[in-house]
Amino acid sequence: MIGRHHSMRLSTRLLLVVLTCLLPVMLLGAWVEYSHWMERRAQFGDLSLQQAQLLNGDVDSIAEGARTLLSAVAQLDEVRDATPACGERLRATLGGLPMFAFIALLDAGGEVICTSEPALQSAEGDPPQWARDAVAATGLAAGRFATASGVSAGFLPFALPLAEKRPGRGNVLVVGLDLGRLSEHLSRLQQTGSPFLAGSALTIADRDGVILARSPQHAEFVGKRFPPPAMALVTAARSGIERLKSIDGTYRIVGFIPPAQSAYGLMVAIGFYEAAMTADINRASLRAGLLLALVAVGAFLVTLFIARRFIGQPTRALLAAARRWREGDLGTPVQGEDSHSEFGQIAAAYNSMAAALARREEDLREHADALEARVAERTQELLVTNNRLQVEIAERQNTEAALVQSQKLQAVGQLAGGIAHDFNNLLATIQGSLDLLAQTVPPKEARQRTWIERATGAVYRGSQLTGRLLAFSRRQRLAVQASDVNRLVSDLVPLLRTCTHGQRIRIDTLLGDDLWPAMVEPSQVEAAILNLALNARDAMEDGGVLTIATANQPVADAATRGDIAAGDYVAITVADTGVGMTDEVAQRAFEPFFTTKGPSGSGLGLSQVYGMVRESGGTVRLTTSPAGGTSVMLLLPRAMEMPKPARPPVEQQRAKSGAKVLMVDDNPDVLQVSADMLRQLGYSVTTATSGREALAALETRPAIVVLDHAMPAMTGLQVASVMRQRGYGGPIILATGYAELGEAEQHELETLQGVLNKPYSIRDLETLLVRVEIAAADAGLQPVK
């Protein structure tokens, strides 16, 4: 073996060295590509589970709508007393709610007393199974898949027992959710929601695994039970991710929420076609593999050429000369190609050796010294190159991490923006209906008013949740203004003392002198400080110190980190003496839906803070360590002027003169409720469901125009622009439930007289109309120039 190695040619040795160097690089490249591929597959699984959780929340909101409807109907005298007008009243109540197929009142035996669908009352024989299940319910409950005459697509019953008015009588209200409408709702989610939903399969099933709605192919699978492999998802105790064969025969990545984790015993599942999702990854991996192979082959060929040309040929010439000298032919010198190269120097040394053996040792030492210097120089160059390569690898890893974070934020932002408009329209319809209902309830009916106030509070909390999602996704237009940060902190401290366990946690404030004003939305800053204080409270279970400090913070170019521009900022620092965070938790602290609090945490607190600060033009700096506490610094842009004193509130005067108002909205429920509120306030109302109808309605000469912004064909701002071109000079108000506007639209928004953010109450509508009328009168605006 040793002799075989000694007989190996020099060129072969060089090729083995090159191949040995290339092999680790190729293996490393293959391992990196495989790691990226596995990581993206895992991300697809997490994405499917997140989408399933969002769909489950949407289904819960529909069930809550059924609860609200049944609770409201239960208060009707005609229904409680089962009068002859009961059925007509139920039909009138259901007229504006297309999601529900019918409302029925059943007696204790399951027989239909009155219903909005006469076909249900005409059925003979024993009560159907869904009626028997409804009678057996002890509270609000969702039933199973059911069918009945008059409901072609099937329905899902929701039952609510009524309190017994006398012994022996216990009636039950049942509302049937139209599964065809539910399927249409799923289709709209796929069209308007996240782009990831476009090629997915959305499924809702009852607790028995019977499909209630599916998009696509609803008509083909509704009423069918899951195949045996998928029934394990129905009986699962927790939500999760599975890769299995769907009911349509396609293998998918399925994220699911089982009935055990649903408030109403329903199951949701979202399946993504795995082959389609990983196609781009496979193509990228194939391209990377081919590129790596081409580079390796190219390096091998170049090395082979260089070895033969610049090493093999000079070596063979030296060997030939050595053989001649060994034979005694010292008169033939070695012909060197370049006297400055190593081979040229060797040739010169060989020639000099033949002339003077005494100089050979000295020449060899000089050659060894020169060779050693070159090796040291080359070694230094390799070290510098290796250090540069390590820096580039670190930068690439940081860039890839930032890209993954950006993709997560974009997915949540697109999802939040997509549902904001529809969700706020639903809230606007509910809020308006509650306000109108409150006008009809006498003051002495304290119980009914309490229900109305409770429902109104739920609408407000829903709008706050939508606002938080939009603020995080940077799709909500912040009403920034010059704000006194020290005053905001001072006013907020009493509230913080009540929600941080009183004396157990001490709150210290260090307010900077001559603090600059900040250009922010005050309410968003207060919410951010409150979120940080609550997180600090949870981190100090045994008590501690919460410090809130403010200071002027100039930022130079060297300290920007690339996340903000150099300039003047106002710093708000919230620090605690709690348990702190590990590096892994700190890196994910601002991710949406990431929480260390278990089921009690939503994961939106810090992400909301981050979204608000970034939208305002600032940034967030986090400093923490395990057992060393946490400090969060909010850098907010400086305002160029001090905040102006608040104007005194405008005294509201309800218009009773019958002024004409043109109400425009493409959502029929919102349009009807808004028109009823305007009539309740004493206005004469003309309605339109599109931009074209609104332009045609200008012939009625309205005094005020209220436009919905997000409408098909023409947006509200586009309609307002055309109205101005056609000579309309009266006030125009824009109503919107989706706050993302471009720079040009922001400029156009300033030309209008008011903005209504959905959902709005009758008091908000009245206040804005009074202010607009006063401003229009002062400015001399006329409906038609």
Side-chain angles (χ1 to χ4, degrees):
M1 183 64 69
I2 296 177
R4 183 180 302 174
H5 287 172
H6 287 173
S7 63
M8 188 179 297
R9 301 179 62 182
L10 179 60
S11 59
T12 303
R13 296 172 184 267
L14 291 174
L15 292 179
L16 288 177
V17 171
V18 172
L19 290 176
T20 304
C21 294
L22 286 176
L23 183 59
V25 176
M26 295 177 65
L27 293 177
L28 176 62
W31 180 82
V32 169
E33 287 299 325
Y34 178 77
S35 299
H36 290 173
W37 186 77
M38 292 298 296
E39 182 179 1
R40 291 298 299 274
R41 279 174 58 92
Q43 291 174 358
F44 289 148
D46 294 340
L47 174 64
S48 64
L49 181 56
Q50 292 175 3
Q51 297 294 336
Q53 291 170 342
L54 293 174
L55 178 58
N56 185 57
D58 192 64
V59 172
D60 285 349
S61 67
I62 294 174
E64 285 297 323
R67 175 195 290 272
T68 303
L69 175 61
L70 290 173
S71 299
V73 171
Q75 306 309 313
L76 300 177
D77 293 335
E78 295 90 340
V79 176
R80 290 201 306 265
D81 298 331
T83 65
C86 172
E88 186 63 30
R89 186 61 185 270
L90 292 179
R91 280 190 291 275
T93 302
L94 199 61
L97 301 172
M99 283 292 292
F100 300 102
F102 68 89
I103 304 178
L105 179 65
L106 311 180
D107 61 13
E111 295 294 333
V112 178
I113 300 176
C114 64
T115 177
S116 62
E117 179 58 50
L120 296 177
Q121 208 163 14
S122 62
E124 297 181 357
D126 293 334
Q129 183 62 44
W130 64 267
R132 296 196 296 271
D133 292 343
V135 171
T138 59
L140 179 69
R144 298 176 174 84
F145 172 82
T147 58
S149 58
V151 186
S152 59
F155 64 92
L156 176 65
F158 287 86
L160 177 65
L162 300 181
E164 293 189 6
K165 300 181 63 176
R166 59 179 180 269
R169 181 179 180 182
N171 295 339
V172 180
L173 272 176
V174 178
V175 62
L177 177 63
D178 192 331
L179 299 185
R181 297 285 187 176
L182 183 59
S183 173
E184 295 174 1
H185 180 70
L186 294 183
S187 298
R188 286 194 298 271
L189 284 179
Q190 284 187 308
Q191 295 171 4
T192 62
S194 171
F196 293 102
L197 297 178
S200 65
L202 280 65
T203 306
I204 301 176
D206 63 16
R207 64 178 64 92
D208 295 332
V210 177
I211 296 177
L212 301 175
R214 191 180 190 274
S215 179
Q217 298 176 300
H218 169 77
E220 182 178 352
F221 296 108
V222 65
K224 294 183 178 180
R225 193 180 301 273
F226 280 165
M231 286 301 294
L233 307 186
V234 180
T235 59
R238 295 181 178 275
S239 58
I241 306 164
E242 292 289 342
R243 288 177 172 84
L244 48 76
K245 189 175 184 180
S246 179
I247 191 172
D248 57 3
T250 303
Y251 282 93
R252 300 178 185 272
I253 301 176
V254 179
F256 66 95
I257 307 296
Q261 286 196 317
S262 173
Y264 295 92
L266 301 177
M267 174 184 177
V268 297
I270 298 183
F272 294 91
Y273 184 44
E274 184 175 8
M277 296 181 70
T278 59
D280 292 340
I281 306 176
N282 295 335
R283 286 195 294 270
S285 299
L286 179 59
R287 286 195 298 267
L290 291 176
L291 180 60
L292 186 63
L294 289 175
V295 170
V297 172
F300 179 84
L301 294 177
V302 170
T303 304
L304 181 61
F305 172 78
I306 292 175
R308 291 183 175 180
R309 174 65 178 83
F310 297 100
I311 299 178
Q313 291 183 3
T315 301
R316 287 192 293 272
L318 290 174
L319 291 174
R323 293 189 186 99
R324 290 195 299 270
W325 291 344
R326 185 180 58 185
E327 295 173 354
D329 187 9
L330 297 177
T332 304
V334 179
Q335 300 296 328
E337 296 181 356
D338 185 2
S339 60
H340 298 287
S341 66
E342 288 83 356
F343 287 104
Q345 293 177 10
I346 294 175
Y350 275 39
N351 292 332
S352 299
M353 181 183 61
L357 294 177
R359 297 177 53 189
R360 184 181 61 181
E361 294 294 334
E362 182 181 357
D363 290 342
L364 289 177
R365 283 195 301 270
E366 291 178 356
H367 174 69
D369 293 341
L371 184 59
E372 184 178 354
R374 289 180 178 273
V375 170
E377 180 182 358
R378 184 56 178 167
T379 302
Q380 184 63 31
E381 292 177 356
L382 290 176
L383 289 175
V384 173
T385 303
N386 182 63
N387 292 337
R388 188 183 300 112
L389 180 60
Q390 294 296 328
V391 172
E392 291 177 355
I393 291 175
E395 292 178 352
R396 179 179 178 183
Q397 291 175 344
N398 293 335
T399 302
E400 291 174 349
L403 177 60
V404 171
Q405 179 70 7
S406 174
Q407 290 173 340
K408 291 181 180 178
L409 296 178
Q410 181 182 8
V412 175
Q414 289 174 344
L415 181 61
I419 67 174
H421 179 262
D422 291 339
F423 189 67
N424 280 329
N425 274 340
L426 292 174
L427 293 178
T429 303
I430 298 172
Q431 179 65 61
S433 300
L434 291 172
D435 288 342
L436 294 173
L437 184 60
Q439 300 290 332
T440 64
V441 177
K444 63 181 181 179
E445 298 292 342
R447 186 180 182 187
Q448 285 83 346
R449 285 190 171 274
T450 299
W451 292 337
I452 293 174
E453 291 173 359
R454 188 179 303 149
T456 302
V459 172
Y460 174 76
R461 290 191 294 274
S463 65
Q464 290 293 98
L465 177 59
T466 304
R468 290 172 184 160
L469 288 173
L470 290 174
F472 163 72
S473 61
R474 303 185 68 182
R475 292 173 176 263
Q476 177 162 299
R477 180 174 53 86
L478 297 179
V480 297
Q481 60 186 24
S483 304
D484 186 348
V485 174
N486 279 349
R487 182 175 179 182
L488 291 177
V489 174
S490 299
D491 293 343
L492 193 59
V493 167
L495 173 61
L496 297 181
R497 297 189 192 280
T498 63
C499 62
T500 54
H501 300 167
Q503 301 298 325
R504 191 165 62 82
I505 295 178
R506 190 179 81 238
I507 300 179
D508 293 341
T509 57
L510 303 176
L511 305 182
D513 298 330
D514 300 326
L515 189 68
W516 298 326
M519 187 59 88
V520 293
E521 182 175 331
S523 62
Q524 293 290 339
V525 174
E526 291 175 347
I529 297 175
L530 180 58
N531 272 325
L532 295 176
L534 293 178
N535 284 345
R537 177 199 66 186
D538 296 338
M540 297 185 291
E541 294 183 355
D542 299 327
V545 179
L546 173 64
T547 304
I548 304 177
T550 62
N552 297 327
Q553 187 70 43
V555 177
D557 290 333
T560 60
R561 303 183 186 175
D563 53 354
I564 54 174
D568 292 336
Y569 294 84
V570 178
I572 303 177
T573 303
V574 180
D576 62 67
T577 58
V579 297
M581 307 179 190
T582 62
D583 292 340
E584 292 78 10
V585 174
Q587 290 175 0
R588 302 185 61 190
F590 297 107
E591 289 186 10
F593 307 114
F594 174 76
T595 179
T596 59
K597 300 179 183 179
S600 62
S602 65
L604 288 177
L606 288 179
S607 64
Q608 177 191 358
V609 173
Y610 181 82
M612 181 279 295
V613 175
R614 294 295 292 164
E615 181 72 6
S616 300
T619 190
V620 181
R621 302 283 169 83
L622 175 66
T623 304
T624 184
S625 63
T630 300
S631 175
V632 181
M633 177 186 291
L634 311 182
L635 290 178
L636 304 173
R638 175 187 179 182
M640 292 297 102
E641 59 182 7
M642 292 300 294
K644 299 179 181 179
R647 298 181 178 178
V650 178
E651 184 178 355
Q652 299 180 5
Q653 299 178 359
R654 296 188 63 174
K656 294 296 184 181
S657 60
K660 291 183 178 180
V661 177
L662 173 57
M663 185 69 201
V664 185
D665 200 301
D666 64 318
N667 188 299
D669 295 335
V670 177
L671 180 63
Q672 183 62 43
V673 170
S674 300
D676 290 342
M677 287 194 293
L678 289 170
R679 294 187 183 97
Q680 185 70 28
L681 294 174
Y683 291 94
S684 174
V685 183
T686 302
T687 60
T689 60
S690 66
R692 293 184 180 274
E693 291 184 14
L695 296 175
L698 285 178
E699 297 179 357
T700 64
R701 302 173 65 85
I704 301 175
V705 176
V706 181
L707 291 170
D708 180 34
H709 177 61
M711 295 188 296
M714 298 177 69
T715 65
L717 289 176
Q718 292 172 341
V719 175
S721 177
V722 176
M723 285 184 173
R724 294 301 190 204
Q725 294 174 6
R726 294 189 179 183
Y728 180 74
I732 299 177
I733 298 173
L734 187 71
T736 176
Y738 182 50
E740 182 182 26
L741 297 175
E743 294 183 0
E745 292 177 319
Q746 291 283 0
H747 177 72
E748 295 178 10
L749 190 64
E750 296 175 357
T751 64
L752 304 184
Q753 281 66 49
V755 176
L756 269 175
N757 290 318
K758 297 179 181 178
Y760 50 84
S761 65
I762 192 170
R763 175 62 63 185
D764 298 334
L765 181 61
E766 179 185 14
T767 300
L768 182 58
L769 288 174
V770 170
R771 291 182 178 176
V772 166
E773 286 183 312
I774 294 175
D778 293 342
L781 295 178
Q782 298 297 326
V784 180
K785 296 182 180 178

